[in-house]
Amino acid sequence: MKIHAPALALGLSLLGNVALMPAFADTAAAPAPVSSDAAAKETSPELKVELKMDAKADAILHKVSDFYAGLKSFATTMEREGKNGKESHKATYKVSVEKPNKISIEISGGAKRFDGGQAKMNGEKLFLYNPVFGYVSSPATSNYEDLIRDHEFQFATAFALHGQNLLEALLTENPYDFMQNHYGIKGAELVGEEK
């Protein structure tokens, strides 16, 4: 599979060989990240491009998006690698979700200040834990997008779930539109199938 938006690999890996083209593919460099508040107020010029979607590739993307939007619950394990100076860190995230507003995220490994971090939402309350700062609780939200953009949630989860991350797309009500808007996809083409 040839994917130019790495965060989409999980969802598309079983459905065919699709090449996705980010909106900034024709520019010298990717656009600078935009905060969610700024993104809501204005759209980057790079994202105002005409979509060049092959009908078959578009059907696959819709099928994947509809599948994930229809899930009532799911669980996954994610791994994230990073560097802090000369030290490399590898963190494992165990994630369980039950829609509309239950989630459990447990972090092991990674930087010491995040190792053991947790985020739990039981439908009524949100509980966050960071090994350095301890526990925080607040009322639960019914919107996963708001949760992922919450600063305390981001700190408890080592800033790993906001931005170019498939989990964020899977938690939205409409993964197809989310991927188009947040990953800057300007087109897709079906290039074949492979085992």
Side-chain angles (χ1 to χ4, degrees), residues 74-151:
F74 64 89
T76 187
T77 300
M78 303 177 351
E79 291 185 345
R80 180 177 188 221
E81 294 184 21
K83 275 193 164 187
N84 185 3
K86 293 181 180 181
E87 291 184 34
S88 293
H89 300 286
K90 184 175 181 179
T92 300
Y93 292 74
K94 290 185 178 179
V95 181
S96 299
V97 174
E98 183 181 329
K99 295 177 182 178
N101 63 345
K102 294 181 181 178
I103 192 167
S104 172
I105 300 172
E106 298 177 0
I107 304 170
S108 59
K112 289 182 183 178
R113 66 182 182 203
F114 299 113
D115 186 11
Q118 296 183 20
K120 311 258 183 183
M121 189 164 63
N122 65 10
E124 296 178 11
K125 291 288 243 176
L126 169 65
F127 302 94
L128 303 171
Y129 171 72
N130 173 273
V132 175
F133 295 106
Y135 288 93
V136 174
S137 70
S138 60
T141 178
S142 60
N143 184 323
Y144 289 114
E145 290 180 54
D146 289 343
L147 176 67
I148 288 176
R149 284 169 180 74
D150 178 80
H151 294 295

Side-chain angles (χ1 to χ4, degrees), residues 3-194:
I3 295 184
H4 300 287
L8 304 177
L10 174 68
L12 299 176
S13 63
L14 300 177
L15 293 175
N17 202 0
V18 177
L20 301 174
M21 295 148 280
F24 52 80
D26 297 330
T27 62
V34 179
S35 72
S36 60
D37 295 332
K41 293 177 184 172
E42 63 180 26
T43 304
S44 168
E46 290 83 6
L47 298 180
K48 292 180 183 176
V49 295
E50 184 178 330
L51 290 176
K52 296 177 184 173
M53 285 288 198
D54 173 65
K56 290 181 181 179
D58 194 46
I60 290 171
L61 292 173
H62 272 289
K63 186 176 179 180
V64 170
S65 298
D66 293 346
F67 172 79
Y68 283 116
L71 289 177
K72 301 294 182 209
S73 63
F74 64 89
T76 187
T77 300
M78 303 177 351
E79 291 185 345
R80 180 177 188 221
E81 294 184 21
K83 275 193 164 187
N84 185 3
K86 293 181 180 181
E87 291 184 34
S88 293
H89 300 286
K90 184 175 181 179
T92 300
Y93 292 74
K94 290 185 178 179
V95 181
S96 299
V97 174
E98 183 181 329
K99 295 177 182 178
N101 63 345
K102 294 181 181 178
I103 192 167
S104 172
I105 300 172
E106 298 177 0
I107 304 170
S108 59
K112 289 182 183 178
R113 66 182 182 203
F114 299 113
D115 186 11
Q118 296 183 20
K120 311 258 183 183
M121 189 164 63
N122 65 10
E124 296 178 11
K125 291 288 243 176
L126 169 65
F127 302 94
L128 303 171
Y129 171 72
N130 173 273
V132 175
F133 295 106
Y135 288 93
V136 174
S137 70
S138 60
T141 178
S142 60
N143 184 323
Y144 289 114
E145 290 180 54
D146 289 343
L147 176 67
I148 288 176
R149 284 169 180 74
D150 178 80
H151 294 295
E152 291 174 341
F153 176 85
Q154 289 178 7
F155 191 82
T157 56
F159 303 94
L161 304 179
H162 179 53
Q164 298 271 330
N165 187 292
L166 180 61
L167 180 63
E168 188 175 10
L170 300 183
L171 292 173
T172 65
E173 290 182 24
N174 188 335
Y176 182 87
D177 286 347
F178 182 91
M179 288 186 290
Q180 299 290 334
N181 295 328
H182 290 276
Y183 298 146
I185 295 170
K186 71 173 185 179
E189 177 184 0
L190 184 63
V191 294
E193 294 183 7
E194 62 186 25

